[in-house]
Amino acid sequence: MRLRSGVFASACLLVQALGVGLFLRGFFPVPVRSLPRSGALAGPPAEPPPTGFSSNWTKVPSPLFKKAVIVLIDALRDDFVFGSKGKRFMPYTTQLVERGTSHSFVAEAKPPTVTMPRIKALTTGSIPGFIDVIMNLNSPALLEDNLIQQAKAAGKRIIFYGDDTWVRLFPKQFVEYDGTTSFFVSDYTEVDDNVTRHLDNVMKREDWDLLILHYLGLDHIGHLSGPHSPLIGPKLSEMDNIIKKIHTSLLSKEEGEVTSPHLLVVCGDHGMSETGSHGGSSEGEVRTPLLFVSSAFDRAGGLLKPPELVQQTDLAVTLAIGLGLPISRNSVGQLLLPVVQQKTVREQLRYLHLNGFQLSRLLQENMATYEKDPGFQQFKMAEKSHGSWIKLYLEGNTSEVLRNLGKKVLRQYLEAIRVLSSSLSKQVAQYDTYSMIVGTIIVLEVLVLLLLSTAKALSSRAELEVPLSPLCSLLFYLTCLMLCAVHVVVCTSTESSCYFCSISWLTAIGVIMLISGLLCVILSALEKVFVNPKQMAKNPAAATSSWSEFDMLILAGTVGHVSSLGASSFIEEEHQTWYFLVSTLCLALCQETCRHYFLAKDCDLQLPSSAKANPEEVKGAHHHRDDAGYLQDASKTGKAANSESTRGSEKWMALATPWVVLVCCRLLRSLNQTGVQWAHKPDFGHWLTSSEHKAELSLVASVSLVMIFILVQRRCSLVSKIAMALGLLGVYSYRAAIGNVEFPWQRDSKDISKGIIEARFVYVFVLGIVFTGTKDLLKSQVLSTDAKTKFIGLWEIYSGLVLLAALLLRPHNLPVLVFCLLIQAMMTKYVWKPLEFDAAQVTIMHYWFGQAFFFFQGNSNSIASVDVSAGFVGLDNYVEIPAIFLTGFATYSGPLLWAVHLLCYLSSDVSRRCFPSGIAWRSRPSLPESQCESLFRFSPN
């Protein structure tokens, strides 16, 4: 069956989407959830007190605190409070930690460390999954049982000021609220002032029971300039003054009152990485301070101990006990015992029993073999010991036996709760392995099929022959039967639920037939390539398409990379794979150039992948190349005498190009550390962005912008050249306006602004250049003008995207853009065209370089490396569509620029081969008119 390349690609894309969907369904684990039930959330114990005695331990406890204030400071790292920055910029908070009536902890957050999942963890006590990263952009109402809902049901009046994510999660729970947008990261002043302006008024009032304040300024500063920015210190001092104001106000309210004391909680939802972002699992991102301050606690004294490491989910349980609320049904947190240590042993045991019973019940509803769980067994033993202690207590026993037994029961409960919480947390991390394997097989089969058909899809033939005979073979039916048997065995023997097992048998058999069919088609294609050498020898066209050493190298590299993604460590450090592949590619290109210029005869060059030209087609022809990469007849230019010297210089430049590219890649590796294991190591980018080296950063940025103009403007029209020059000047002005770089005549940074006018000035030129290129591109398609117009249109679109990337990238990343343009220019002029690499080879090389430049920017597979601030360049408020587009473009600018450059290259290759009268390329034969029409109709653009 013959299929057009577009139809074939669309079918592969649909099948690929099916495989990716199955993999993601298995990769995102099903969360631990409790079944709905009526009545109290904490049921009676298994061992009630003896007959004849009364006890109130099955009821919700009375509140320990009358009012509570939660101050959540977004992106507050633990070292901002407990480290040197805390002592310097937060003296009042440091005094509370060291000498005040407080309990301090380091709360560990589970990835993903973004705001919305962290708020869920703080209020529900459960562990959100990575799917919540997507929901973070538009948080729906939280329907899961949570602390805010329980407080509302108990009649408590809740007031909230700050991040409007809370308002979206809890739309009907607050009696008063004022939300501020969390996505406009350029604002780090007004976003906090809008919260603080309510403080004086609300602290004087008595019409609230729970006050929640969520400050965003620190997080925005981290996104803009990182954790070592000079803006961090003043912001921490501002937060310290706010904590002081709230604490002194709460103490003044307690004066003259006999009621329960008040509670102040200071915490962070997540930290920030060394680059100022968050979302990953580095220590700076997952560790946040957790501070409980109340007059009910004993004053700290003596030797200062380091804060205890706890889980962020423990806050929900502790606040529920402190406010006299039921524990959330889906909570996996543990009660922080120091917060209730001022209470009697009987009350402490009661609180721990409520926590343990809730965890054991959650375990029963999510694990079939819960009775064998060590935590469940330990909890039952603790319950029996608790019953014995209650019996002695109600009998009036006050001996040492009662105290020792009480301490023993406390230890038993704490250990049982710890094990139960650990078991439930592991349940969240259980993946649907079977669905992931099925999805991975489909994805790999489609990738292999695309790889085998790439050469045909990108060649002059616009149609592909897809064999259907393997679908009627015995191998197909045997494969289907074997996979059906495996499906039956897996679905009947597994204890955990698998999504692929839960779908209908008809759908499952359809997927199995699809996998078997793809496998048979791949084997048929491989047979044509490797098992039929005689047929290739008889067919000259097939013989010329046989795979060379270079083809095998890029095939092995691509397949090896795909295979490496099966290991999590290779995913975390994927940049190392691409650095190795690009370096190996440079060495292979060095070998190809040496073979081309030295080992081949002048009359019979060993081209790596294309057929040799007919000597009659190039007889007596002398050519030279202009700046745009085209060749012109020497008789028309009058420069035939210099042809030999020009070719000699080009030969040496071609030999030097792979080594130059290798050096450029090595320099780029030193610019940004990425990955997981070495991301915290110092690099040249950190050195440039430090406040002490602002002049050096300014010099690097200015030189980079000049180099960008030189490398891009050669193929642009005069109008686009002027727009490019003014746009790059606007890029520098924008960075100077926001304080990243400086003008020589303006060394102070007092006039720092958001740079909105300067950024919009650049956007005008970006749109103008892209519009000009689009006009030329449409003109070439509609009016059927020459291919040179089409090439120029594509190049101007490319130059507009380069200008946009220069605006969005951090100033220390501008050299990445320069090296990208330099490598593209040198590879095009001295390697790809002289050695006549075919479209498939050039496509794979563009893909390799695009992936490498993704990591050269400092990106990684962690969401923490996403530069959110790029989405707000030139915006004065949060607009969802532009913010998402700009953030995505800045993150993937490397692969996108290489993809667009590939289109420009393929377009110029088509134009050279289809217009031989004025434009030709060495000895490469021109194409007939009908074939050129097919190329223009189906060429990828």
Side-chain angles (χ1 to χ4, degrees):
M1 182 176 65
R2 300 183 66 86
L3 291 177
R4 289 183 176 180
S5 58
V7 177
F8 176 76
S10 300
C12 289
L13 184 63
L14 291 175
V15 179
Q16 189 87 326
L18 171 64
V20 172
L22 272 174
F23 178 85
L24 293 178
R25 180 59 179 80
F27 180 77
F28 292 118
V30 178
V32 174
R33 290 291 182 266
S34 176
L35 298 177
R37 56 181 181 265
S38 59
L41 297 180
E47 297 290 335
T51 306
F53 295 97
S54 61
S55 174
N56 63 350
W57 68 338
T58 61
K59 300 178 182 177
V60 175
S62 58
L64 307 180
F65 308 101
K66 180 181 179 181
K67 293 181 183 293
V69 179
I70 302 175
V71 180
L72 196 156
I73 304 174
D74 211 294
L76 184 66
R77 301 199 329 184
D78 62 328
D79 59 336
F80 286 174
V81 175
F82 304 129
S84 58
K85 283 188 174 68
K87 295 180 179 179
R88 180 180 176 186
F89 299 111
M90 305 186 73
Y92 188 81
T93 306
T94 302
Q95 182 184 359
L96 289 176
V97 171
E98 296 179 351
R99 294 291 181 265
T101 54
S102 65
H103 293 294
S104 54
F105 306 91
V106 173
E108 185 179 52
K110 298 295 185 183
T113 48
V114 292
T115 297
M116 194 271 285
R118 294 303 96 218
I119 295 176
K120 281 187 175 181
L122 289 169
T123 56
T124 65
S126 59
I127 302 177
F130 277 89
I131 193 65
D132 288 298
V133 175
I134 302 173
M135 307 301 296
N136 187 58
L137 298 175
N138 188 19
S139 310
L142 181 60
L143 302 179
E144 183 180 349
D145 186 29
N146 58 81
L147 180 72
I148 306 299
Q149 176 183 329
Q150 294 289 353
K152 177 72 174 179
K156 295 190 179 295
R157 298 157 296 180
I158 312 171
I159 296 179
F160 171 77
Y161 303 120
D163 185 356
D164 58 359
T165 304
W166 289 79
V167 180
R168 295 194 298 270
L169 288 173
F170 312 105
K172 299 179 180 180
Q173 275 74 27
F174 303 127
V175 295
E176 181 182 326
Y177 63 87
D178 184 11
T180 57
T181 180
S182 59
F183 291 105
F184 187 50
V185 299
S186 298
D187 173 28
Y188 51 84
T189 303
E190 294 180 4
V191 72
D192 287 344
D193 291 343
N194 287 334
V195 179
T196 307
R197 63 190 176 95
H198 298 284
L199 267 185
D200 291 334
N201 178 38
V202 76
M203 295 306 296
K204 296 176 182 178
R205 293 156 45 186
E206 296 291 339
D207 58 345
W208 57 270
D209 301 297
L210 178 60
L211 174 64
I212 303 174
L213 309 173
H214 189 151
Y215 285 93
L216 290 163
L218 186 66
D219 177 69
H220 291 183
I221 292 175
H223 284 298
L224 288 172
S225 51
H228 306 295
S229 168
L231 300 173
I232 292 289
K235 179 56 67 174
L236 292 178
S237 298
E238 178 186 345
M239 296 297 102
D240 189 58
N241 291 330
I242 291 169
I243 293 171
K244 180 179 180 180
K245 177 185 292 188
I246 296 173
H247 184 229
T248 54
S249 179
L250 290 177
L251 291 177
S252 64
K253 284 179 177 292
E254 294 179 6
E255 293 179 359
E257 293 186 3
V258 190
T259 57
S260 302
H262 303 318
L263 175 67
L264 170 62
V265 179
V266 180
C267 61
D269 55 346
H270 52 74
M272 68 173 70
S273 65
E274 287 300 311
T275 60
S277 189
H278 54 87
S281 57
S282 67
E283 184 173 312
E285 295 169 82
V286 301
R287 294 198 170 185
T288 63
L290 178 58
L291 186 62
F292 293 86
V293 183
S294 175
S295 59
F297 305 147
D298 297 330
R299 184 173 298 275
L303 183 63
L304 182 64
K305 297 180 181 179
E308 180 185 353
L309 181 64
V310 298
Q311 296 300 312
Q312 194 180 58
T313 51
D314 299 342
L315 178 63
V317 179
T318 306
L319 282 179
I321 296 296
L323 297 176
L325 303 173
I327 301 173
S328 301
R329 291 196 299 265
N330 300 320
S331 172
V332 298
Q334 310 173 50
L335 174 65
L336 300 177
L337 192 61
V339 178
V340 297
Q341 275 184 343
Q342 73 276 11
K343 294 297 182 178
T344 63
V345 175
R346 183 185 185 188
E347 290 175 314
Q348 293 182 42
L349 291 176
R350 179 185 175 196
Y351 301 148
L352 290 174
H353 176 266
L354 292 174
N355 189 190
F357 181 81
Q358 176 266 327
L359 290 173
S360 64
R361 192 166 207 178
L362 186 61
L363 185 73
Q364 293 179 47
E365 295 170 351
N366 288 274
M367 183 183 292
T369 58
Y370 68 91
E371 293 180 348
K372 299 179 182 179
D373 185 80
F376 185 83
Q377 295 175 352
Q378 292 178 18
F379 176 70
K380 290 302 178 183
M381 292 176 59
E383 272 191 331
K384 293 180 179 179
S385 301
H386 190 184
S388 301
W389 187 92
I390 286 289
K391 182 178 180 180
L392 290 176
Y393 177 82
L394 295 178
E395 289 176 349
N397 193 325
T398 58
S399 65
E400 190 71 20
V401 176
L402 183 67
R403 288 192 293 271
N404 292 336
L405 181 60
K407 293 178 182 179
K408 176 184 176 182
V409 178
L410 280 174
R411 289 194 300 269
Q412 287 180 334
Y413 268 136
L414 289 173
E415 180 62 20
I417 290 171
R418 185 190 64 81
V419 177
L420 283 170
S421 178
S422 177
S423 299
L424 289 167
S425 299
K426 290 177 182 177
Q427 284 284 104
V428 178
Q430 281 191 350
Y431 300 102
D432 184 357
T433 308
Y434 184 41
S435 299
M436 292 173 64
I437 291 175
V438 174
T440 303
I441 291 174
I442 295 175
V443 170
L444 290 178
E445 286 183 333
V446 174
L447 286 177
V448 173
L449 189 60
L450 285 172
L451 190 63
L452 293 174
S453 58
T454 299
K456 294 181 179 180
L458 294 177
S459 66
S460 58
R461 294 186 295 274
E463 293 184 345
L464 294 168
E465 182 67 30
V466 180
L468 295 180
S469 56
L471 302 182
C472 301
S473 64
L474 179 62
L475 177 63
F476 171 74
Y477 295 107
L478 289 177
T479 307
C480 287
L481 288 175
M482 184 185 68
L483 293 180
C484 286
V486 171
H487 182 70
V488 171
V489 171
V490 172
C491 294
T492 55
S493 63
T494 181
E495 294 182 356
S496 59
S497 59
C498 297
Y499 172 75
F500 194 61
C501 294
S502 64
I503 62 178
S504 65
W505 272 97
L506 187 63
T507 306
I509 292 175
V511 175
I512 290 173
M513 292 179 66
L514 174 65
I515 295 175
S516 304
L518 288 173
L519 178 62
C520 293
V521 171
I522 289 172
L523 293 177
S524 176
L526 290 173
E527 181 184 7
K528 291 182 179 179
V529 174
F530 296 106
V531 187
N532 294 329
K534 294 182 179 180
Q535 183 179 358
M536 288 187 174
K538 295 178 181 179
N539 187 358
T544 57
S545 63
S546 60
W547 289 26
S548 64
E549 296 175 0
F550 188 81
D551 295 326
M552 296 301 297
L553 172 67
I554 58 179
L555 172 63
T558 305
V559 173
H561 165 258
V562 174
S563 303
S564 71
L565 298 180
S568 60
S569 57
F570 277 95
I571 296 176
E572 293 174 350
E573 308 296 332
E574 187 185 356
H575 61 287
Q576 301 286 6
T577 303
W578 287 116
Y579 294 166
F580 171 78
L581 290 178
V582 169
S583 301
T584 306
L585 176 64
C586 292
L587 296 177
L589 290 175
C590 182
Q591 180 191 16
E592 291 293 327
T593 52
C594 291
R595 179 183 298 172
H596 179 81
Y597 285 106
F598 292 106
L599 300 183
K601 297 181 180 180
D602 292 339
C603 59
D604 188 22
L605 296 178
Q606 298 293 328
L607 301 179
S609 58
S610 58
K612 297 171 185 168
N614 188 349
E616 296 181 358
E617 295 177 353
V618 295
K619 185 178 181 180
H622 299 279
H623 305 93
H624 80 280
R625 181 163 59 250
D626 62 6
D627 288 339
Y630 299 108
L631 292 181
Q632 299 174 346
D633 197 329
S635 62
K636 294 182 181 181
T637 61
K639 297 182 180 179
N642 298 328
S643 178
E644 291 299 325
S645 60
T646 302
R647 292 179 61 184
S649 62
E650 289 181 355
K651 177 179 71 174
W652 292 110
M653 286 299 299
L655 292 173
T657 294
W659 297 102
V660 173
V661 174
L662 197 60
V663 171
C664 291
C665 292
R666 185 61 190 88
L667 293 175
L668 289 174
R669 288 183 63 176
S670 304
L671 185 62
N672 292 302
Q673 291 284 358
T674 184
V676 175
Q677 296 185 14
W678 296 280
H680 62 283
K681 298 290 185 180
D683 51 41
F684 189 58
H686 284 97
W687 185 84
L688 282 175
T689 53
S690 62
S691 57
E692 297 83 6
H693 304 107
K694 195 173 184 179
E696 290 84 351
L697 179 61
S698 302
L699 178 63
V700 170
S702 58
V703 172
S704 299
L705 292 174
V706 172
M707 289 297 299
I708 291 171
F709 177 75
I710 294 174
L711 292 169
V712 172
Q713 57 83 30
R714 296 175 302 148
R715 306 179 189 181
C716 296
S717 62
L718 178 61
V719 175
S720 296
K721 289 180 180 179
I722 297 174
M724 175 64 69
L726 293 175
L728 292 173
L729 181 61
V731 170
Y732 192 88
S733 300
Y734 166 74
R735 291 297 171 184
I738 64 175
N740 294 142
V741 299
E742 58 188 8
F743 287 113
W745 59 85
Q746 187 180 5
R747 302 301 295 267
D748 59 343
S749 58
K750 295 181 179 179
D751 298 330
I752 293 178
S753 66
K754 298 177 183 177
I756 295 176
I757 297 176
E758 292 84 353
R760 291 178 177 177
F761 177 79
V762 179
Y763 285 142
V764 171
F765 292 112
V766 171
L767 294 175
I769 296 173
V770 172
F771 174 78
T772 304
T774 306
K775 181 189 67 174
D776 292 338
L777 189 60
L778 293 176
K779 183 179 178 182
S780 67
Q781 295 289 339
V782 176
L783 302 181
S784 300
T785 58
D786 59 17
K788 187 174 182 179
T789 304
K790 177 182 178 181
F791 169 74
I792 293 176
L794 281 172
W795 185 261
E796 293 200 338
I797 293 176
Y798 173 73
S799 61
L801 296 179
V802 169
L803 178 58
L804 180 60
L807 174 65
L808 299 180
L809 291 179
R810 300 278 180 113
H812 76 277
N813 268 337
L814 288 175
V816 178
L817 194 55
V818 173
F819 283 126
C820 174
L821 298 173
L822 179 63
I823 292 173
Q824 289 172 351
M826 295 188 69
M827 294 288 287
T828 300
K829 188 173 183 179
Y830 300 114
V831 177
W832 291 328
K833 290 177 180 177
L835 272 65
E836 294 191 0
F837 285 100
D838 61 28
Q841 293 172 323
V842 174
T843 299
I844 294 178
M845 283 188 274
H846 273 76
Y847 172 69
W848 281 23
F849 277 111
Q851 294 298 311
F853 271 84
F854 172 81
F855 294 103
F856 285 148
Q857 293 176 230
N859 294 323
S860 69
N861 289 323
S862 170
I863 193 176
S865 60
V866 177
D867 182 12
V868 181
S869 63
F872 304 91
V873 175
L875 302 180
D876 54 3
N877 52 45
Y878 175 64
V879 185
E880 186 172 3
I881 302 285
I884 293 175
F885 168 76
L886 294 176
T887 303
F889 181 84
T891 304
Y892 296 99
S893 58
L896 285 173
L897 290 179
W898 278 93
V900 178
H901 183 269
L902 174 64
L903 298 181
C904 296
Y905 177 86
L906 294 177
S907 176
S908 65
D909 184 65
V910 170
S911 67
R912 286 193 305 274
R913 299 180 63 192
C914 290
F915 296 92
S917 59
I919 303 170
W921 176 253
R922 284 193 184 276
S923 59
R924 196 167 186 174
S926 59
L927 298 176
E929 182 178 356
S930 60
Q931 209 165 1
C932 288
E933 291 178 357
S934 175
L935 269 171
F936 284 124
R937 188 176 298 112
F938 299 110
S939 61
N941 51 47

